[in-house]
Amino acid sequence: MNSDHPTTPRSLPTAAQADVPTFGCVVYVSTLPDGRKRGRVANIEGIEHTAGTEREVLQRIVPDFKKRVSDCLAAGDSIPWIDPILAIDPNEQKRFLPVHL
């Protein structure tokens, strides 16, 4: 072993971290005439937000998406995925967010 490069311990995920489910949230983002951003979830119905920036839109969407999925799982219901996902409009851009519950 070379003493010039000390070893660094690696952080391994714990069992709790490994068990956290992740779900894909597909968001279509567009710019409104007033310059604000609008985002709508394309794979679960009814989640949509408008804000000043794309980042703010996504920050508002994620908690709603988490709550919807968590509520379904807690109730023992299936997640109401839209399949196939909604069609994208020409003025929208697609974003994919991996969401951890």
Side-chain angles (χ1 to χ4, degrees):
M1 208 172 200
N2 186 342
S3 62
D4 293 337
H5 299 287
T7 59
T8 304
R10 293 186 184 192
S11 175
L12 298 176
T14 65
Q17 290 170 326
D19 292 341
V20 176
T22 303
F23 296 90
C25 178
V26 179
V27 180
Y28 296 153
V29 179
S30 60
T31 302
L32 299 172
D34 66 0
R36 294 171 51 81
K37 299 292 182 177
R38 173 184 174 251
R40 63 184 179 111
V41 175
N43 59 339
I44 289 185
E45 189 174 345
I47 301 175
E48 181 178 315
H49 282 284
T50 303
T53 67
E54 180 177 330
R55 181 182 179 110
E56 289 173 308
V57 166
L58 299 177
Q59 287 174 332
R60 292 177 183 180
I61 284 175
V62 168
D64 287 355
F65 182 90
K66 279 184 177 186
K67 181 168 179 12
R68 177 82 55 86
V69 172
S70 295
D71 288 350
C72 290
L73 294 176
D77 297 334
S78 60
I79 300 167
W81 298 116
I82 297 172
D83 187 23
I85 65 174
L86 299 173
I88 191 168
D89 292 334
N91 64 332
E92 293 177 314
Q93 294 181 332
K94 183 178 179 180
R95 302 291 185 254
F96 181 79
L97 306 172
V99 177
H100 300 274
L101 298 185

